[in-house]
Amino acid sequence: KVITSAELLAGQVREARLGAISRNRPFRVLFNCPAAGAFRMLEVTGDASIDDDADRCSTPLPNDGPPIYLPANVGFGGFAPKNLQISARGQVSAVDGGLLPLIYGITYGSHTRTVSVTALGRVTIADE
C-alpha cells in the first residue's frame, strides 16, 4: 500500500508538470482535495476567484485530473502536506510558501516512503 501510494503521488506530480509545460499553463497538486486522504491535479486559470475557491476541488475544469484516494489506513505521515504549484516552465513552488524540496511522507503502520519534489520538478521516492 505504501509503495503504490507513493508511486501514485509521484506520478500525479509528474503528470501535473507535463501538463503545465505542454499546455503552457500552471498546474497545482492539492492535498485533501476533495476529501481527507486524497490529492488532485488542477489547472490554474489565473482567476483567483476560481483558483482559490474553497469548492475548487469539487468543481473540476476540463484539464483537471481525477481525485486519487489513499487506501484505508494509509496517510501523509501525520502532518498536512503542502500544496504545490508547477509553472509553465516546469518549476515547482509551495502554494502557501515553504522551503524546497517539498517532502511528503506516505505511511502505513510502521512503513514509510518519502516522495521528494525539487524546485526543478525532479521527483524521487525513498524508503525511510
Side-chain angles (χ1 to χ4, degrees), residues 1-6 73-79 103-115 125-128:
K1 289 182 179 186
V2 171
I3 292 169
T4 301
S5 298
N73 301 318
V74 175
F76 294 115
F79 66 94
I103 299 173
Y104 304 95
I106 307 291
T107 61
Y108 176 71
S110 62
H111 302 285
T112 300
R113 291 195 104 192
T114 58
V115 178
I125 299 172
D127 289 319
E128 264 190 24

Side-chain angles (χ1 to χ4, degrees), residues 11-99:
Q12 188 76 148
V13 172
R14 291 179 183 122
E15 185 177 344
R17 186 170 186 270
L18 177 63
I21 293 169
S22 64
R23 291 182 177 87
N24 199 31
R25 303 192 61 92
F27 273 75
R28 289 180 177 168
V29 176
L30 300 182
F31 293 86
N32 297 317
C33 169
F39 50 93
R40 186 176 202 169
M41 173 185 81
L42 301 172
E43 182 178 16
V44 176
T45 66
D47 182 343
S49 67
I50 295 172
D51 296 331
D52 299 331
D53 186 1
D55 289 334
R56 176 68 176 92
C57 288
S58 301
T59 54
L61 297 176
N63 290 323
D64 294 349
I68 298 173
Y69 294 88
L70 295 175
N73 301 318
V74 175
F76 294 115
F79 66 94
K82 287 266 191 192
N83 295 322
L84 62 88
Q85 182 162 315
I86 304 167
S87 74
R89 295 179 58 196
Q91 296 174 323
V92 177
S93 61
V95 172
D96 299 325
L99 300 175

